[in-house]
Amino acid sequence: MDDAGRADRREMHEASLLLRRILTLNDEVEKQLAEELDVNPTDFDAMQHLIQSGPLSPSEIAARLGITTAAATMAVDRLVKVGHVTRQPHPSDRRRLLVVPREESVRRAMARLLPMIGETDALLSRYTDAEQAAITDYLARTVQILQRTLGRDGA
Amino acid sequence: MDDAGRADRREMHEASLLLRRILTLNDEVEKQLAEELDVNPTDFDAMQHLIQSGPLSPSEIAARLGITTAAATMAVDRLVKVGHVTRQPHPSDRRRLLVVPREESVRRAMARLLPMIGETDALLSRYTDAEQAAITDYLARTVQILQRTLGRDGA
DNA sequence: AGCATATTGTTAAGTTCCTTAGCTATCAAG
DNA sequence: CTTGATAGCTAAGGAACTTAACAATATGCT
C-alpha cells in the first residue's frame, strides 16, 4: 500500500463513480429544497412521505423516518406552525389523528421537483428498447446489491 | 384530482422508481455502517472523506461536510476519542494540522464496503459494450439533471 | 358487561450536536 | 516588524433527538 492509506479507486468503472456522484448530488438537492420550504431535514423528509403517500399518522411518520413517536410529535408541531400540514381526527379511532399536507405546500414542492422528475423520466426515451432494458436491469441489480449489503450486518 | 392530494406516479418509468429506491437504500446502508463504527452521521461522513481522500485538515473537512470549522473541531474530537483518527502536525504550516484516519478503522470500513463496491462494479461486466455505454450515458445525464436542478434555486 | 392490557399521541427532562462569537497562534506582505 | 489574514479552538446558546412517564382510547379475555 504505497499511497498512504487512501482508498484505491483506479479499478472503478465510470458508471460506479457516476452513481456515487448522483447519491451526493441528491442529498444536496434535498437540502436546498428543505431550506426553500423553511423546514429542517427531518421535517422535509416527513413532507416527502406525506406528499407521496397522502395523510399519515404521527406513528407512521415516526416509523418511516426511523425516529421516535415523541420526535414525530415535535416534527408535526413544527410543520403545523409553518402551515405545511394540519392535524385532523382519525375517522374511526379517536386515539389516532391524521397529518394532512396542505395543498399549497404540496404544490410548491412539486413545482420545484416536477422539472427534475420529468427530465429524469424523459431521459429514458433517448434510448432504444434494448438500452432501456439494460439500464433498468442495472438499476434493479444495484438495488439487490444494496439490500444484500443491508442484510449483512457486520456485527 | 381524485386521489386526495397524493402525488401521481403512474407515468413514471420503472427505472426512475428504481433510482429513487437506490437513493433511500444508500441512506440506510450508511446509517447502519455508521452505527457499526460507533459514530454519528456527521462523523461517519467525515470518515468517508478521509477514507477516500486521505488525511485532511479540519477546515477542509468542514468545507466538504457543509458545517462550521467549530463543528469540525468537535467532530474530530469525537473521532480521536474513539480512536478512528489521529491529529498530526502539518509539515509546513504550524497553524494547520492533518486529521489522519487510523489504518485499522479504514480496514474495518472497507471490509464492510468492499463487497458492495466490488459487486456494483462487477455488475457492469454483465453487459455488452453498447449496453454499458447506455448505462454510463444515462447516469451521466442524470448527474447533469441534478446539477441543473441545484442551479435552479426557486428563490 | 367489566376489567386488564395494549396502543396512540403527548409532555418533560436530559443529551447531543450544531451555530455564532471571540480568542490565540501562526503565516504572509508591506 | 507590524498589519492583516488564516487555522484551529473554546464557550455559550439553540435546535432536535432520546428516554421515561402519562392520559385517552381501543381491544380482548373471562
Side-chain angles (χ1 to χ4, degrees):
Chain A
M1 202 186 278
D2 57 274
D3 57 345
R6 192 170 65 247
D8 207 333
R9 56 150 88 170
R10 72 186 156 217
E11 294 180 19
M12 287 186 74
H13 277 277
E14 172 76 5
S16 301
L17 296 175
L18 285 168
L19 185 53
R20 285 188 73 85
R21 182 93 185 94
I22 288 173
L23 294 173
T24 63
L25 270 172
N26 183 66
D27 284 345
E28 291 176 37
V29 168
E30 290 193 356
K31 189 176 168 187
Q32 190 182 71
L33 183 53
E35 285 173 11
E36 282 175 31
L37 294 178
D38 293 309
V39 296
N40 66 36
T42 299
D43 298 357
F44 176 72
D45 202 355
M47 281 303 292
Q48 277 192 309
H49 283 277
L50 289 168
I51 287 171
Q52 193 155 42
S53 307
L56 299 172
S57 68
S59 48
E60 174 67 21
I61 291 174
R64 293 192 184 203
L65 269 54
I67 59 180
T68 61
T69 60
T73 293
M74 295 184 289
V76 173
D77 281 345
R78 292 189 295 266
L79 287 172
V80 168
K81 186 179 287 184
V82 295
H84 284 322
V85 305
T86 58
R87 276 187 240 244
Q88 292 186 6
H90 189 283
S92 67
D93 188 337
R94 274 187 294 182
R95 290 171 307 178
R96 295 191 203 178
L97 56 87
L98 286 177
V99 179
V100 182
R102 254 188 64 210
E103 201 182 323
E104 158 70 16
S105 300
V106 174
R107 249 202 311 268
R108 256 174 72 193
M110 292 305 280
R112 187 74 169 71
L113 287 176
L114 271 184
M116 182 178 71
I117 294 172
E119 289 174 41
T120 304
D121 220 53
L123 177 52
L124 271 302
S125 314
R126 299 178 59 98
Y127 305 99
T128 66
D129 285 354
E131 287 170 336
Q132 285 188 33
I135 291 167
T136 302
D137 187 74
Y138 166 79
L139 294 173
R141 289 183 191 276
T142 299
V143 166
Q144 285 173 7
I145 289 171
L146 285 169
Q147 285 172 335
R148 218 163 24 233
T149 302
L150 257 187
R152 272 195 293 259
D153 2 48
Chain B
M1 202 185 277
D2 56 295
D3 57 345
R6 192 170 66 248
D8 206 333
R9 54 150 87 171
R10 72 185 158 218
E11 293 180 19
M12 288 186 72
H13 276 277
E14 172 76 5
S16 301
L17 296 174
L18 286 168
L19 186 53
R20 284 189 73 87
R21 184 92 184 94
I22 288 174
L23 294 173
T24 62
L25 270 173
N26 183 66
D27 284 346
E28 291 177 36
V29 168
E30 289 193 355
K31 189 176 168 187
Q32 190 182 70
L33 183 53
E35 285 173 10
E36 283 175 29
L37 295 177
D38 293 309
V39 296
N40 66 39
T42 299
D43 300 357
F44 177 72
D45 203 354
M47 282 302 294
Q48 277 193 308
H49 283 278
L50 290 168
I51 288 170
Q52 194 155 42
S53 306
L56 299 172
S57 68
S59 48
E60 173 68 21
I61 291 174
R64 294 193 185 201
L65 269 53
I67 60 180
T68 61
T69 60
T73 294
M74 294 185 289
V76 173
D77 282 345
R78 293 188 296 265
L79 288 172
V80 168
K81 185 180 285 185
V82 296
H84 284 322
V85 304
T86 58
R87 276 188 241 244
Q88 292 185 5
H90 191 283
S92 67
D93 187 337
R94 274 186 295 182
R95 290 170 307 179
R96 295 191 202 178
L97 56 86
L98 286 177
V99 179
V100 183
R102 254 188 66 209
E103 202 182 320
E104 158 69 18
S105 300
V106 174
R107 249 203 311 269
R108 256 174 72 194
M110 292 305 280
R112 188 75 168 71
L113 287 176
L114 271 185
M116 182 178 72
I117 294 172
E119 288 173 42
T120 304
D121 220 53
L123 178 52
L124 271 301
S125 314
R126 301 177 57 99
Y127 305 99
T128 66
D129 286 354
E131 287 170 337
Q132 285 188 32
I135 291 167
T136 302
D137 188 72
Y138 166 78
L139 294 172
R141 290 184 190 277
T142 299
V143 166
Q144 285 172 7
I145 290 171
L146 285 169
Q147 285 172 333
R148 215 159 31 230
T149 302
L150 258 187
R152 272 195 293 258
D153 359 49

